[in-house]
Amino acid sequence: MRKENIETPVEIIYEKVNECPIRDRVYSFFQLVFVISGNGYQTFNGNRNSYQADDLFLLTPEDIHTFDVVTTTEFLLIRFNRSYLNEYDWKNLNHLECLLNNATHINGNILTVRSDKVIVKSLIETILQSIDKSDLFNEELKNYLINALLVVVARSISCYQLTDLQENFDKRFVNIVNYIHDNIYTPERLRTITISKQFNISESYLGRFFKAQCGETLQDYISKYKIRLIRNRLKYSDMRINEVADEFNFNDGSHLNKFFKKQSGVNLTEYKNSV
């Protein structure tokens, strides 16, 4: 199966088609697909969903996607890779890369909130107007618009993830999870005593509260989230093992390897050679 790459950190492509020109391919990059007009079906890893105007799809690396066009369809494709995500300071969205990579459970249109649909449509219209322009600040404007779009996407994905929680979940849980994501590279900030002080609750209550909300312990959640990010580094970047260890504040590659093998069952080299 053919794997498609992009040569630049981000690409914007407009297409008007009667049939999908790309079938059963996997990508090395992320792709947002907005349906400007038309209708048909999207197949995502074997799951088939209908599409119509104003729908937005997130296509993730290594997954298989096909669009079956029923009526002539206009698509706006926004392709971006990991280097694009790393180029910007995302403030409270340091976990954006992992959030996108772990959105493969979402099938179909990712926009469910009406206000988000209005925002996205406005952003898409402005992006379309900027495609063929070449004035001094046009590139900066396009990046700004794409970043705004990604923030909306991140919010939509987060809403999907929260549907797995109990209906009466405590908002503090979301705040704790966001804190973990924001501090995943700083181990001393992820100690139970530090988190409990941050949210003014006891250590024993924090442990019970967290497990009641998501079904796993606080430390298990932190470890699994960290493993996801490390896997992404090994799979989608040219970073060396010692560089990954340094990023996540392990003493060296040996300590990272010990942690990775305990969580994944294979060592770093075995995993890196398998992807």
Side-chain angles (χ1 to χ4, degrees):
M1 184 171 292
R2 182 177 173 183
K3 187 170 183 177
E4 188 171 340
N5 302 298
I6 54 176
E7 296 180 356
T8 57
V10 63
E11 293 180 352
I12 302 175
I13 301 172
Y14 166 82
E15 290 184 343
K16 185 175 183 179
V17 297
N18 292 313
E19 62 178 350
C20 182
I22 300 175
R23 304 188 68 84
D24 297 332
R25 292 189 188 178
V26 294
Y27 305 97
S28 64
F29 49 87
F30 296 97
Q31 191 168 193
L32 291 173
V33 179
F34 183 80
V35 181
I36 301 170
S37 65
N39 67 81
Y41 298 90
Q42 182 227 21
T43 302
F44 175 87
N45 290 341
N47 297 305
R48 187 174 171 87
N49 300 280
S50 62
Y51 75 76
Q52 61 186 358
D54 298 338
D55 281 353
L56 180 67
F57 297 88
L58 172 64
L59 311 186
T60 49
E62 308 303 326
D63 293 311
I64 303 172
H65 313 270
T66 299
F67 283 93
D68 296 312
V69 177
V70 175
T71 64
T72 301
T73 301
E74 294 178 281
F75 292 112
L76 184 68
L77 314 177
I78 300 175
R79 301 172 167 184
F80 55 96
N81 57 26
R82 179 174 174 269
S83 66
Y84 180 81
L85 295 177
N86 288 345
E87 187 177 347
Y88 295 93
D89 180 5
W90 292 97
K91 303 296 183 185
N92 294 325
L93 281 175
N94 292 331
H95 59 297
L96 180 59
E97 175 192 351
C98 191
L99 194 66
L100 296 177
N101 268 306
N102 288 280
T104 56
H105 65 290
I106 301 176
N107 295 313
N109 176 34
I110 63 174
L111 297 177
T112 58
V113 179
R114 180 174 176 80
S115 58
D116 283 350
K117 293 179 181 181
V118 173
I119 294 170
V120 167
K121 188 168 185 177
S122 176
L123 289 169
I124 292 295
E125 289 174 351
T126 309
I127 291 171
L128 279 168
Q129 294 171 11
S130 69
I131 287 180
D132 297 323
K133 293 183 179 179
S134 58
D135 55 79
L136 182 61
F137 297 107
N138 194 56
E139 285 302 311
E140 285 77 5
L141 175 60
K142 283 194 292 187
N143 289 340
Y144 172 82
L145 295 168
I146 292 171
N147 292 347
L149 187 60
L150 285 172
V151 171
V152 178
V153 168
R155 182 166 62 181
S156 293
I157 294 172
S158 295
C159 288
Y160 272 100
Q161 292 180 336
L162 290 177
T163 59
D164 294 332
L165 303 177
Q166 298 177 11
E167 290 184 2
N168 61 341
F169 78 94
D170 195 312
K171 188 177 179 180
R172 287 177 300 175
F173 175 75
V174 180
N175 294 333
I176 292 170
V177 168
N178 286 336
Y179 174 87
I180 292 169
H181 291 170
D182 292 341
N183 293 282
I184 197 66
Y185 305 103
T186 314
E188 59 268 22
R189 295 181 183 175
L190 297 180
R191 297 187 180 119
T192 303
I193 187 172
T194 305
I195 298 175
S196 64
K197 287 181 179 179
Q198 177 73 23
F199 293 93
N200 197 29
I201 54 180
S202 70
E203 292 181 61
S204 58
Y205 177 75
L206 173 62
R208 296 194 304 271
F209 169 75
F210 195 91
K211 188 168 185 178
Q213 292 295 311
C214 72
E216 59 185 352
T217 68
L218 175 66
Q219 291 307 316
D220 281 347
Y221 180 90
I222 292 171
S223 295
K224 288 179 181 179
Y225 182 72
K226 189 176 294 186
I227 283 292
R228 290 173 192 165
L229 284 175
I230 292 169
R231 284 174 176 162
N232 291 340
R233 297 293 185 273
L234 297 173
K235 192 172 184 179
Y236 301 117
S237 79
D238 296 324
M239 292 178 69
R240 298 176 181 177
I241 289 175
N242 283 337
E243 292 174 327
V244 178
D246 183 63
E247 180 182 19
F248 288 89
N249 272 290
F250 287 89
N251 291 335
D252 51 38
S254 177
H255 284 82
L256 170 60
N257 187 61
K258 184 177 180 180
F259 169 78
F260 189 87
K261 188 170 184 178
K262 180 181 178 181
Q263 298 295 325
S264 301
V266 296
N267 63 42
L268 291 166
T269 303
E270 289 172 335
Y271 179 79
K272 194 169 179 62
N273 289 338
S274 70
V275 297

